[in-house]
Amino acid sequence: MSIVDVARRAGVSVSTVSRSLRGETNVAAATHERVRRAVDELAYVPSPAAAGLATGRTSSIGVLASFDYRWFLTSVLEGVDSALRAAGYDLLMYNVGDAEARDHFFSSSPMRRRVDGVLAVAAVLTGEEQAVLRKLDVPVVAVNGIRTLLPRVGIDDEAGAAAAVKHLALLGHTDIAMISGNTDALVGTVTPRRAGFEAAVAALGHDTDVIVVDRWGAEGGIQGMDRLLTRSTLPSAIFTESDEMAFGALRSLRRTGVRVPEDVSLIGFDDHELAPALDLTTIAQPAREQGAVAADLLMNMIAGTADTSADIKLPTRLIVRGSTRRHLAAGDTESDEVRHGDFSEQPASSAPSATRSPPSAQSTLARSARGH
């Protein structure tokens, strides 16, 4: 069935059917009803291609992302899809997770004349790459990542990292290390989370070692933790740039017999879906909500009703689980209340003191070898 058949059944012109289907207000209510009945009786489905010719729209949104960041991308897309599907948009996905794919995308511009807008998810975009996207002449919204000239929906990564350090400090930890990704990674959280960590530690006047690994994710967490284990003493607490890096760190610690949180407290960032199962304390970010808000912002920009310089930051929150605990002085014991209490709400002056040296990596390994 075509739009001509609908027009004949409803007894109106084809242009009237088209305007009625688009929801325009210059069509009488009775006419809208006749068109609706004709559509239902004929099981007519409007052609997106035909609609595009009439409106100049494609009813498609391009999503530019690194597929390596799977948990975050999947969570964001759930929010994006829920918002866009209701508005009749389709998604076109483009992976820029490796140099070859990235070069191909920005040299060939495959989205040109194929999308009404673009969402760039957790991508670090150079000035030249942003210019390529602007030449598409459609609205572009960044989701998470580093603030650029593009409108953005995300979180305050620096503040989230600082909250992680505050939590550890209020538990009495003074030797706090961070396992971070390589700054060449195509994930836009690396620089701001590290900056937030360094600023928070410096403000506390604590010593720190920042461990930079070659790979982002669980493998990078393994490598970073292995490097920390070569030190003469371990830090009493470790902040990882992401939960996935914390998962890798946990694997290395368990293989060497270092206990979490008895020997080392560990806190991640994201609240990955596996974080509760591994009892990981973390800074939770609302990934799905970021996708939904970004999709709404993009649709409003397409309609010409949104601020094109928007920088929307959604709140993060500390979730305390069993991987962090109070740093005990020599001879102290710990109750369940102390272990699981949320010290983040206490003033800094009430943070428990700690004088015991962190455990020796070598002594821990030796204890593990003896079967203890």
Side-chain angles (χ1 to χ4, degrees), residues 26-352:
N26 60 347
V27 179
T31 304
H32 272 304
E33 179 59 23
R34 292 208 309 275
V35 171
R36 186 194 64 76
R37 280 201 309 269
V39 167
D40 291 343
E41 292 168 0
L42 297 173
Y44 170 70
V45 178
S47 165
L53 289 174
T55 65
R57 301 278 176 81
T58 67
S59 296
S60 295
I61 298 296
V63 177
L64 187 65
S66 170
F67 289 9
D68 291 338
Y69 202 4
R70 291 185 181 90
W71 169 81
F72 182 76
L73 176 59
T74 301
S75 301
V76 166
L77 288 179
E78 288 177 357
V80 169
D81 182 63
S82 66
L84 294 182
R85 183 165 18 99
Y89 282 97
D90 294 323
L91 295 181
L92 296 177
M93 297 289 297
Y94 298 89
N95 181 18
V96 291
D98 61 78
E100 183 178 353
R102 197 179 187 93
D103 289 343
H104 173 74
F105 175 86
F106 285 104
S107 62
S108 62
S109 293
M111 286 193 291
R112 185 177 297 278
R113 292 188 295 275
R114 297 185 64 188
V115 298
D116 295 332
V118 177
L119 292 170
V121 181
V124 179
L125 299 173
T126 67
E128 292 181 358
E129 291 168 344
Q130 292 178 57
V132 170
L133 293 180
R134 285 195 292 271
K135 287 180 181 178
L136 295 174
D137 199 26
V138 297
V140 182
V141 173
V143 186
N144 208 299
I146 300 173
R147 171 66 166 150
T148 62
L149 297 177
L150 301 173
R152 172 186 178 268
V153 175
I155 60 172
D156 190 333
D157 288 287
E158 290 191 28
V165 173
K166 178 183 177 183
H167 170 65
L168 296 173
L170 288 173
L171 290 173
H173 295 280
T174 58
D175 186 6
I176 305 172
M178 177 183 183
I179 300 179
S180 177
N182 192 305
T183 53
D184 292 334
L186 300 178
V187 178
T189 63
V190 175
T191 300
R193 290 185 188 178
R194 189 185 303 172
F197 170 82
E198 291 177 331
V201 170
L204 292 168
H206 293 173
D207 295 330
T208 179
D209 285 311
V210 175
I211 308 301
V212 181
V213 297
D214 293 333
R215 296 183 61 182
W216 187 91
E219 185 63 30
I222 293 172
Q223 295 173 5
M225 195 65 249
D226 286 345
R227 291 174 63 181
L228 281 173
L229 286 166
T230 64
R231 297 181 4 154
S232 58
T233 58
L234 286 174
S236 66
I238 299 169
F239 166 58
T240 62
E241 184 181 301
S242 70
D243 286 352
E244 292 184 24
M245 300 190 89
F247 301 158
L250 275 170
R251 178 185 176 187
S252 289
L253 290 169
R254 287 170 178 168
R255 284 187 168 186
T256 53
V258 179
R259 300 169 302 168
V260 175
E262 290 83 0
D263 298 325
V264 176
S265 283
L266 182 68
I267 183 170
F269 198 122
D270 287 335
D271 200 28
H272 188 285
E273 60 187 356
L274 294 179
L278 295 175
D279 207 17
L280 179 68
T281 296
T282 189
I283 301 297
Q285 65 162 316
R288 190 180 190 280
E289 187 179 357
Q290 288 176 70
V293 172
D296 285 340
L297 174 61
L298 185 63
M299 287 189 289
N300 289 334
M301 289 175 63
I302 292 171
T305 60
D307 181 4
T308 58
S309 62
D311 184 17
I312 301 172
K313 293 182 180 180
L314 303 182
T316 58
R317 61 192 178 97
L318 169 68
I319 297 181
V320 180
R321 298 192 178 103
S323 67
T324 55
R325 76 165 196 178
R326 179 186 173 193
H327 185 47
L328 300 178
D332 283 354
T333 59
E334 177 189 55
S335 66
D336 287 340
E337 180 182 359
V338 170
R339 174 176 175 176
H340 294 290
D342 182 358
F343 289 92
S344 63
E345 299 302 321
Q346 297 185 14
S349 59
S350 68

